[in-house]
Amino acid sequence: MPTFTVVPVEDGEDSSSAGATGGSKPVSLSKIFGEGDDDGNLQEPQSESSPFLTPDSDGEHYYEGKNMALFEEEMDSNPMVSSFLNKLANYTNLTQGVREHEEAEDGVRRMTVMVPLMGTFIGVYLPCMQNILGVILFLRLTWIVGTAGILGSFAIVSMCCICTLLTAISMSAIATNGVVPAGGSYYMISRSLGPEFGGAVGLCFYLGTTFAGSLYILGIIEILLTYIIPTATLFEEDAAMLNNMRVYGTCCLVLMALVVFVGVKYVNKLALVFLACVILSIMATYAGVIKTIIEPPEFNVCLLGNRSLKNEKFDTCAKTEVVKNLTVTTELWSLFCDSKYSNTTCDEYFTLNNLTEIQAIPGLLSGVIKDNLWGHYDPAGVFIEKENQHSAPAAETPQNIYKPYLFNDITTYFTLLVGIYFPSVTGIMAGSNRSGDLKDAQKSIPIGTIMAILTTSFIYISFVVLFGACIEGVVLRDKFGYSVKKIPVIGILAWPSPWVIVIGSFFSCCGAGLQSLTGAPRLLQAIARDGIIPFLQVFGHGKANGEPTWALLLTVGICEIGILIASVDNVAPILSMFFLMCYLFVNLACAVQTLLGTPNWRPRFKFYHWSLSFLGMSLCLSLMFICSWYYALVAIVIAGCIYKYIEYKGAVKEWGDGIRGLSLNAARYALIRLEEAPPHTKNWRPQLMVLCKMNSDLLVKHPRLLSLTTQLKAGKGLTIVCSVLDGTYMTRANDAKTALQNLKTAMAVEKTKGFSHVVVSSNLRNAFSLLIQSAGLGGMKHNAVLMAWPADWKLALGSLARRNFIETVRETTSANQAMLVAKNIDRFPSNQERLKDGNIDVWWIVHDGGLLMLLPFLLKQHKVWKKCTMRIFTVAQMDDNSIQMKKDLQMFLYQLRLDAEVEVVEMHDSDISAFTYEKTLMMEQRSQMLKQMHLSRTEREREAQLIHDRNTASHSAANDKAAGATPDRVHMTWTKDKLINERNKQREGMAVKDMFNMKPEWETLNQSNVRRMHTAVKLNEVVVKKSKNSELVLLNMPGPPKNKKGDENYMEFLEVLMEGLDRVLLVRGGGREVVTIYS
């Protein structure tokens, strides 16, 4: 971290001399804040994690000032305001790939060639105009007007322009909400909606920009081969025109790629020329419209009947003409008849109908606007005919396709025209993409973009009306101008010459194509450098000056796919999909940020509202499906796949995005709703708090505990993985962070979905207690605790582990939480293992709310345990009807919809064996030994502990007595009747259920221990006999004794109960029903 001086300095101060004298002189501020990273590659963009700027990484400690001595220890992380403002004033925003970085003579140091910052007109307005006005305007707008009519075209233009205007409003709000670094629209979307949405939409925008390059190149070739050099075709047949487009388009693409590879500065130098061509063409068109009022152009169209004819092969629109007082047939006669003689056989339609010649451009005042109000949608191959023109019908013949008739080349309908037209309104992002080159981006981007959209919208709408008011309908529907000597229809309207439009549109397409091939690789490079999509990392590299070489190669490859399609009409809808997807998410980003009202959302552009963004988003989505529903689905699937890929494989980025804020709001709302009422039994599932132990290296000691959690939860419900470190947080804060990171890593490896938490406490017992009480939030609290069996409790150092374990059991019982204890946890299967067969045995001794039944069912949902068989064992005593018990249990399981085998095990009263006495003796001897070890403490400490134990016992007894009437708790204590029956017995036998009724205070210690050991031994014998080879055994876990003097014996009883079993899961219910027979 940097350090800053706070004493006055002189600019001429030499920092090296200050360092040499041991800091006797303060360092110059210009040195501290100077550029210290001249050498090296392009710098990474400013870190989004910093609220403002990233300070310099080098500096020295100089705290000689006395005025600010109170804050000198904080200056490493909090610089002085004067220093901070100095950095802010000198902040420069480098645009990725826009400014040229050239090698210095030494080949190591690089210099940044500073570009003069631009204003609104030059930096935003003109680039947007150049990108919006393009190939569709010159090559397809007249055809769209003729096909859809003036009203239909007006609807198409209005929808598309309103869509882009609403998007520009949303974009302006986002762009003025702080400094927008280089990256333009991708940066805005990714930082507003997060890396997943940002990457998906960024790639969609990249694909759209790339296919735009294909569209412009196809426009170039169409203009070249149709209007400039028609003789340059390599394939003469009309059907082979597509192959001409492919060959010449590929050559043009390679040539443009070479220009872009040499350097973007050549493209920028030609940008003004290309823009001038566009403006000149538009002005020529308006001039031509004005001229039609004075004198309409001398362009005529030849009609046979009501059918329009191609006039490229004839000059005279007549069947015969008089030459030197002789009537001879014309060139047109030869096209419809077998020979040029008048007595030959001719086409029937040609014979029955007359030839008429009409003006191609009647003029603005001719009234042709009435005929062009409505659309003419026809299938492919239909003649282009003039309405209200007489025509004698004739039989159709296959030879008609060889006659000079004009046909519809594609089937036309309204939605197709929307998809073809929409690319003509794209390009509104051109200003935001140049944000790094603007003097005041927050002012220029909104004004320039919105003004450019309004200007171009006026141009398009006026052209729609003027084309329909000036040009004949059959000529408007002539897509390539075949009826007017192969001149573009907009060209015959322009003044002074059609070549103004031809040359202007040609250079306009060249400029737009070069801009696309320049911008698309840089957009891909920005995405790759963000590191959110791993497989794109290679495209973040480029030449030494930052040019994205690899990204350019990929762009050329994708662009070639569009060129192989070889049709402007087929590429345009693809282009529309990707741009509409991008605009949709720009609107979504603005709407989300506005509705969330995050404190950082403070745009300087105030003329926005969430309803406008929502309307723009809805319009974008509607236009996607209007243009082409199947292309829309493909684009959505592509974006969805990218989203999921980034979610699972991409780098984790925290950009303060709106989706995260939306998630926080939704989580808060859900938590508040959850807290209103406790969950119903139908919705109950184990919400686990997993107590993990860390080893000396701060790594998870039992990773299989997390595996068991994953198998039990399958990603559903709440999981909180906790660990406690011994010590104080002040001294072990770094250890806590390391342990937390290791815990998260282990959870990721074991695919455990949940939350992790590490606390530091000088008292481990208190830490566990607080975690059990306070973990979770609102209604999302745990209801079960999972931990590993303390295998080292018998050791001298294990007394602490024993006490912690027993107290944890007591506290979970008091909190009405379930308890799961896994013995031999390291032998449990991992998530990669698959148990092909085996049994999961449940030993149901006492009813605990059905948790014992539910856990095997949950385990069997996981792939590890899926093929195991569930078996349920219950114990019958002398006075129980074991046959009826089995029937009742089977019916109970049937009603619970659980598939399991049922077996009732009969346990008869028997004499206490010598083995039991021996076990009890060993247990008591061990207890005495442990007590002797504790005598090493001082007498005062021992007395204090005894007083504390007595008080705790008395309070515990009083609380238990007061809480004894609670009906929901599972009672495992002695009753008066049971005590009388037990005293009347003649032998020391004990029923199996007495195992779960821990030591009553009125029984002698020896007698109680012997009977409990007897029960543990007998029950263990039965369990081992039936379940020794089972994959997992689930047992009811008895509660600890209420008198803490019996804690050592309690652990021994549990050890004996589980002896000889490989994998055991002790289960203690939380005192409520967790399964139900009702739907």
Side-chain angles (χ1 to χ4, degrees), residues 301-313:
V301 180
C302 188
L303 301 178
L304 178 60
N306 63 352
R307 298 177 183 177
S308 182
L309 299 179
K310 300 178 183 178
N311 65 356
E312 56 182 324
K313 295 183 180 179

Side-chain angles (χ1 to χ4, degrees), residues 140-150 153 371-378 417 464 467-468 471-478:
R140 292 293 182 271
L141 188 58
T142 54
W143 173 72
I144 290 174
V145 173
T147 305
I150 294 176
S153 302
D371 300 329
N372 294 331
L373 280 177
W374 308 104
H376 301 81
Y377 301 106
D378 297 308
L417 300 183
V464 165
F467 289 163
I471 305 175
E472 182 62 49
V474 290
V475 180
L476 286 173
R477 283 179 281 155
D478 182 7

Side-chain angles (χ1 to χ4, degrees), residues 682-894:
K682 298 176 186 176
N683 297 325
W684 195 96
R685 65 168 60 248
Q687 316 284 12
L688 289 181
M689 184 176 76
V690 185
L691 298 180
C692 272
K693 189 175 182 181
M694 313 298 283
N695 60 19
S696 57
D697 296 326
L698 299 179
L699 299 174
V700 177
K701 188 174 182 179
H702 302 295
R704 286 290 180 272
L705 200 59
L706 298 177
S707 303
L708 178 61
T709 305
T710 302
Q711 296 157 20
L712 193 60
K713 301 286 293 179
K716 307 285 176 54
L718 175 70
T719 302
I720 306 175
V721 183
C722 301
S723 185
V724 179
L725 300 183
D726 190 12
T728 61
Y729 188 73
M730 294 294 292
T731 58
R732 302 202 64 183
N734 291 332
D735 289 345
K737 293 176 183 178
T738 304
L740 181 62
Q741 188 57 46
N742 293 339
L743 199 57
K744 289 181 178 179
T745 303
M747 291 174 65
V749 171
E750 300 296 338
K751 299 180 180 179
T752 305
K753 296 180 180 179
F755 308 100
S756 55
H757 196 44
V758 175
V759 296
V760 182
S761 175
S762 56
N763 190 313
L764 298 181
R765 177 67 256 124
N766 291 342
F768 286 124
S769 178
L770 290 173
L771 284 174
I772 292 172
Q773 296 176 59
S774 61
L777 182 65
M780 286 293 285
K781 294 183 70 70
H782 64 281
N783 55 26
V785 176
L786 172 63
M787 63 185 301
W789 172 257
D792 57 350
W793 71 271
K794 289 186 178 181
L795 302 178
L797 298 176
S799 59
L800 180 61
R802 182 188 70 249
R803 290 200 304 273
N804 286 341
F805 175 80
I806 296 175
E807 289 301 316
T808 302
V809 176
R810 286 194 175 105
E811 286 171 353
T812 54
T813 304
S814 299
N816 292 329
Q817 296 176 6
M819 182 79 178
L820 310 177
V821 181
K823 184 189 177 185
N824 296 332
I825 185 63
D826 294 328
R827 299 181 189 175
F828 275 62
S830 66
N831 293 326
Q832 287 70 38
E833 295 181 41
R834 300 291 180 267
L835 302 178
K836 297 183 178 179
D837 53 11
N839 300 316
I840 301 177
D841 289 351
V842 177
W843 284 84
W844 193 19
I845 311 301
V846 296
H847 181 57
D848 58 353
L851 184 58
L852 270 175
M853 311 288 187
L854 187 61
L855 291 178
F857 170 77
L858 295 175
L859 284 174
K860 280 173 61 64
Q861 306 305 306
H862 197 273
K863 292 178 287 186
V864 174
W865 305 90
K866 195 174 187 65
K867 295 185 178 180
C868 292
T869 302
M870 178 178 170
R871 299 192 303 180
I872 296 182
F873 297 88
T874 189
V875 178
Q877 299 183 74
M878 286 293 295
D879 53 350
D880 294 326
N881 186 341
S882 56
I883 297 176
Q884 187 62 37
M885 280 182 64
K886 184 173 182 178
K887 290 181 179 179
D888 293 341
L889 183 54
Q890 287 175 336
M891 178 57 65
F892 181 58
L893 292 176
Y894 177 78

Side-chain angles (χ1 to χ4, degrees), residues 107 158 409 813 827 964 1028:
S158 299
D409 60 336
T813 304
R827 299 181 189 175
K1028 183 175 180 60

Side-chain angles (χ1 to χ4, degrees), residues 65-376:
K66 298 179 181 178
N67 293 335
M68 297 297 171
L70 183 62
F71 299 95
E72 64 183 18
E73 293 185 358
E74 300 179 14
M75 290 182 187
D76 287 341
S77 58
N78 301 322
M80 292 295 299
V81 173
S82 57
S83 306
F84 168 74
L85 291 177
N86 184 34
K87 287 291 290 182
L88 191 63
N90 295 330
Y91 173 63
T92 58
N93 186 4
L94 295 178
T95 307
Q96 292 176 351
V98 176
R99 302 178 184 177
E100 292 296 322
H101 297 272
E102 299 179 353
E103 296 285 339
E105 293 182 358
D106 58 4
V108 178
R109 296 180 61 84
R110 295 176 175 83
M111 299 174 57
T112 302
V113 181
M114 298 301 296
V115 178
L117 296 178
M118 296 176 288
T120 302
F121 186 76
I122 299 295
V124 180
Y125 181 77
L126 291 182
C128 285
M129 289 279 291
Q130 181 185 357
N131 280 268
I132 294 173
L133 300 171
V135 60
I136 302 297
L137 169 64
F138 299 113
L139 296 184
R140 292 293 182 271
L141 188 58
T142 54
W143 173 72
I144 290 174
V145 173
T147 305
I150 294 176
L151 297 180
S153 302
F154 184 82
I156 293 172
V157 173
S158 299
M159 278 195 306
C160 296
C161 290
I162 290 172
C163 176
T164 55
L165 180 62
L166 293 174
T167 304
I169 292 173
S170 299
M171 183 192 71
S172 299
I174 299 173
T176 58
N177 187 47
V179 178
V180 179
S185 56
Y186 160 70
Y187 182 92
M188 289 190 294
I189 296 171
S190 61
R191 270 56 175 182
S192 297
L193 293 180
E196 294 86 2
F197 278 110
V201 181
L203 280 184
C204 285
F205 190 46
Y206 163 74
L207 291 174
T209 308
T210 304
F211 276 103
S214 303
L215 181 74
Y216 293 127
I217 291 174
L218 290 175
I220 292 170
I221 305 305
E222 184 176 308
I223 294 170
L224 184 70
L225 297 182
T226 306
Y227 307 122
I228 300 179
I229 315 177
T231 57
T233 54
L234 300 176
F235 307 92
E236 295 300 330
E237 299 84 0
D238 290 340
M241 183 62 183
L242 297 180
N243 292 330
N244 290 319
M245 302 283 283
R246 294 183 180 108
V247 173
Y248 281 102
T250 303
C251 297
C252 183
L253 174 63
V254 172
L255 183 62
M256 284 188 170
L258 289 175
V259 173
V260 173
F261 181 77
V262 170
V264 69
K265 56 186 174 184
Y266 299 104
V267 178
N268 291 336
K269 288 178 180 178
L270 293 173
L272 191 60
V273 177
F274 298 143
L275 180 60
C277 293
V278 175
I279 295 174
L280 189 62
S281 300
I282 292 172
M283 293 178 63
T285 305
Y286 279 117
V289 171
I290 296 173
K291 185 176 180 295
T292 61
I293 302 175
I294 305 169
E295 180 185 357
E298 293 297 329
F299 283 99
N300 295 322
V301 180
C302 188
L303 301 178
L304 178 60
N306 63 352
R307 298 177 183 177
S308 182
L309 299 179
K310 300 178 183 178
N311 65 356
E312 56 182 324
K313 295 183 180 179
F314 63 90
D315 294 321
T316 305
C317 184
K319 296 181 181 180
T320 60
E321 60 180 344
V322 177
V323 178
K324 297 180 180 179
N325 295 327
L326 294 176
T327 303
V328 296
T329 58
T330 62
E331 297 168 338
L332 189 59
W333 179 283
S334 302
L335 296 175
F336 286 93
C337 301
D338 294 338
S339 67
K340 63 180 180 179
Y341 301 107
S342 58
N343 58 354
T344 188
T345 304
C346 293
D347 179 76
E348 182 182 1
Y349 188 84
F350 180 77
T351 305
L352 295 177
N353 291 278
N354 296 322
L355 289 165
T356 55
E357 200 169 22
I358 61 173
Q359 275 188 306
I361 302 179
L364 191 61
L365 305 178
S366 63
V368 73
I369 189 172
K370 297 178 182 178
D371 300 329
N372 294 331
L373 280 177
W374 308 104
H376 301 81

Side-chain angles (χ1 to χ4, degrees), residues 136 211 215 416 418-423 567-577 631:
I136 302 297
F211 276 103
L215 181 74
L416 172 74
V418 175
I420 292 175
Y421 173 77
F422 188 81
S567 170
V568 171
D569 301 328
N570 292 333
V571 173
I574 300 175
L575 177 67
S576 301
M577 287 305 111
Y631 280 161

Side-chain angles (χ1 to χ4, degrees), residues 170 193 197 583-593 613 617 659:
S170 299
L193 293 180
F197 278 110
Y583 296 165
L584 184 151
F585 281 101
V586 169
N587 286 293
L588 175 62
C590 182
V592 167
Q593 296 279 24
S613 300
M617 181 178 64
I659 294 299

